[in-house]
Amino acid sequence: MTILESTAANQYDAIVVGSGISGGWAAKELTKHGLRTLVLERGRDVKHVTDYPTGMMSPWEFEHRTQLPLEIKEANPIVSKCYAFYEGSTHFFVKDAEHPYVQEKPFDWIRGYQVGGKSLLWARQTQRWSDFDFEGPARDGFAVDWPIRYADIAPWYSYVEKFAGISGNKDGLPNLPDGEFQKPHEMNCVEDYFQKQIASKYKDRNVIQGRCAHLTEPKDIHFQQGRAQCQHRTICERGCPFGGYFSSNASTIPWAAKTGKMTLRPHSVVHSIIYDEKKGKATGVRVIDANTKKMTEYYARIIFVNAAALNTNLVLLNSTSNRFPNGLGNDSGVLGKYVAFHNYRATISAEYDGFLDMKTEGRRPNSPYIPRFRNVHKQETNFLRGYAAGFNAGRGTYTNQDGIGADLKKNLMNPSWGGWHVGSHMMGETIPKENSTVQLDPNKKDPFGIPQLAINMFYDDNDEKMIKDFHEQFTEMYTAAGFKNIRTRDSKQAPGLDIHEMGGVRMGKDPKTSMLNKWNQLHACKNVFVTDGASMTSTSTQNPSLTYMALTARAVDYAVKEMKKQNL
Amino acid sequence: MAAAFGGLLSLPSWAQHWTPETVAGSPLLSALEESTLADLAETIIPETDIPGAKSLGVPAYIQKIVNDCMDTKAQETLKNGLYTVSDLAQKSSGGKTFSGMDTNQRLNFLNQLNAGADEETKDFFKLVKSLTIRGFTTSEYFQTNINHYQLVPGFYHGCVPVSTGK
């Protein structure tokens, strides 16, 4: 591999590795402070609006009316499992054969390699963490204590929420703090009924409307981004030409570009971070051009690693030097360990025969949410931690499809209302464990000559107990609400399909047992910051992206202050 | 090693752009089989005061889905079934093809076929009927005129009396 001559032209103030939900925020915040920032993205560019080829297509305009061809499914057994992968969205997902990895245990790694990353594809749920989450590891004796508490991050939640645009209710729950909300989405009759039933029967359980990153009442700051009110199209994973939901593409990346301080370089696969032993800090990154396969070095005073949780682990593990033979900043030996995810295996469904005189109209890109109620204030079950859950109700239509001919046709055009269906899925906290790991495969390389990531993540006894409890508790709650034909299911899906993999570069107070300090800064290499999912000490039960955004904005603020003090 | 990753690096052509006019005929069926399939679909959902299966391109949809989205077993079921229909039609009607029958004859023929047929022919009939229904209900005509589908602007009303409109 040729190393091109690297000159002063490759010198920046800051480098951001990755342009997804956290990398986009790093780019926006760094350029806001006037730093000349290089944003490296391994995939192709995806420009807002222009590069959403299916964004304005109606379902009948697709060759297979949105159904996936068999050839695509058979060639992509992993990504085809993802709920958002269909004829309208295949171009935003990594195909199985393109970027191989090693499954030491089954792991469905769902990835989006392009500018914007998975921020184009995410489920857009944005629940805050509370101290019941941050205090979890210390209270329950797993992982290490988080070096931050809710008070440290609360103002940054507000900061990112205002810019991203979050809809929701102020529910006043200590275990799910309120934020800066635009008006919430409506509940339907049955959801509203279930909310009241649960409130009257349980003093510690709540059904609320999900908080989500959709503009329901866009403010001036959103119009300045060129974004408009969410149109309730519910085809978000194709990219939203209205900017109705938050993505790097619609929001942070063009905002950073507007400063004139950002250089965005797509097709740039980061091989490793360069560590200078004399200076005792990182000086830049080695980048392989995805098209030419040539390597170039880029330099900067500070580096933000936002390659997405597992790839951030990979980059650090592959950044070896005499000082750090086991990966950059890895004095503790915990790099690549204590990775975890969310347990989405359990679901429940039922029917309700009330409200038969009522229906819903239109579509909703969101659904109600039930915050964790298990072990919140104290340990009370035979498993640690707990789960949050989604809840939604809807009314299907029924058509008589008997016979053929004109009568059948008439029936198809005159559907009658069926009963209400309700359903929930769990989002369980999993416990980070030392033997839950990602590491570099000693033999296998990817198409760029970079070691493949070997993933060893698994469900444990705590997860199995939690699935059982979810089924029991929700059966009880559904029964109490008068729901009928209750069915529980365990999908047995492998870890990964939750797309909430976290950890491996965890934050902590002690450099001996953690990688990052309370500012998401490598203990042992102060000018490198990790603010994506890799930094998570524990997983809580919330969809994690909002927390990555807040951690990123907070870390950039700190980094810039340190640079001004000449500490970085 | 590079060759192993070569297969999927570009998007398949259908992911680029597509219009109804660009759909080519299926490589799966002969011209005779295609016309039998079209008349089957039209018998299941005929033209009335609103368009039927043929006008809405349902036969092309069925071929497209069976050819691209279903396995070889379904493809064989379709081909064998079309052969059986042609064969039985000629035997039962004294030499007429299925397409040569009038509407009532076609309806009677299909109802008899479904009542007395072997499992494979029943599977065939079930396949064609379900895809005809799907092709009809996912068509632009049905979605816009019957279902009142709108891409934008969207909305959500959670509690609306059933008695109000559609």
Side-chain angles (χ1 to χ4, degrees), chain A residues 60-61 63-65 67 70 87 97-98 186 188-189 231 233 357 359 361-363 401 403 405 409 413, chain B residues 5 8 14 18 44 46 48 50-51 64 68 129 134-135 138 150-151 154-160 162 164:
Chain A
W60 57 85
E61 293 180 291
E63 185 170 0
H64 305 96
R65 307 252 167 104
Q67 196 177 338
L70 194 63
E87 196 175 22
E98 288 171 9
E186 256 183 70
N188 63 43
C189 308
Q231 299 292 307
R233 305 184 323 144
D357 54 340
K359 63 176 178 177
E361 278 185 352
R363 302 176 292 257
Q401 300 195 351
K409 190 181 182 189
M413 293 187 297
Chain B
F5 303 104
L8 285 156
W14 53 261
W18 178 85
I44 293 166
T48 52
I50 72 155
K64 199 83 205 159
D68 295 355
K129 183 177 164 182
R134 227 200 297 161
T138 59
Q150 284 181 301
L151 192 60
F155 55 86
Y156 183 78
H157 306 307
C159 298
V160 184
V162 166
T164 56

Side-chain angles (χ1 to χ4, degrees), chain A residues 337-354:
Chain A
K337 297 175 181 172
Y338 301 95
V339 286
F341 55 96
H342 278 156
N343 177 359
Y344 269 65
R345 267 170 47 188
T347 55
I348 185 168
S349 63
E351 288 157 25
Y352 185 57
D353 51 19

Side-chain angles (χ1 to χ4, degrees), chain A residues 124-276:
Chain A
R124 310 167 310 282
Q125 287 287 308
T126 44
Q127 330 299 338
R128 288 188 179 198
W129 281 38
S130 75
D131 273 337
F132 296 108
D133 304 305
F134 288 111
E135 288 171 359
R139 190 194 78 179
D140 293 345
F142 64 93
V144 290
D145 190 12
W146 276 87
I148 57 169
R149 288 294 183 266
Y150 179 67
D152 297 306
I153 197 172
W156 295 101
Y157 274 137
S158 290
Y159 179 77
V160 298
E161 283 167 348
K162 282 180 201 160
F163 188 83
I166 307 292
S167 79
N169 273 306
K170 289 202 185 282
D171 299 293
L173 305 175
N175 51 337
L176 202 79
D178 292 331
E180 310 293 330
F181 297 147
Q182 303 183 7
K183 74 177 179 195
H185 290 114
E186 256 183 70
M187 281 191 187
N188 63 43
C189 308
V190 174
E191 291 162 351
D192 179 67
Y193 161 79
F194 188 58
Q195 178 183 50
K196 294 190 171 98
Q197 286 288 307
I198 294 305
S200 71
K201 293 186 165 92
Y202 298 89
K203 62 181 189 311
D204 60 345
R205 302 187 187 187
N206 299 280
V207 181
I208 63 165
Q209 185 57 271
R211 290 96 184 248
C212 69
H214 284 260
L215 299 179
T216 52
E217 328 175 89
K219 306 279 195 300
D220 193 44
I221 187 69
H222 307 112
F223 295 130
Q224 286 174 38
Q225 295 169 40
R227 297 171 58 199
Q229 186 164 331
C230 167
Q231 299 292 307
H232 286 228
R233 305 184 323 144
T234 62
I235 47 175
C236 312
E237 62 287 331
R238 301 187 203 167
C240 183
F242 301 91
Y245 73 91
F246 174 84
S247 66
S248 298
N249 312 65
S251 182
T252 46
I253 293 288
W255 195 266
K258 231 166 31 176
T259 64
K261 296 288 181 184
M262 181 183 74
T263 303
L264 176 64
R265 195 183 193 287
H267 304 295
S268 300
V269 182
V270 171
H271 172 278
S272 54
I273 295 164
I274 305 162
Y275 182 76
D276 186 316

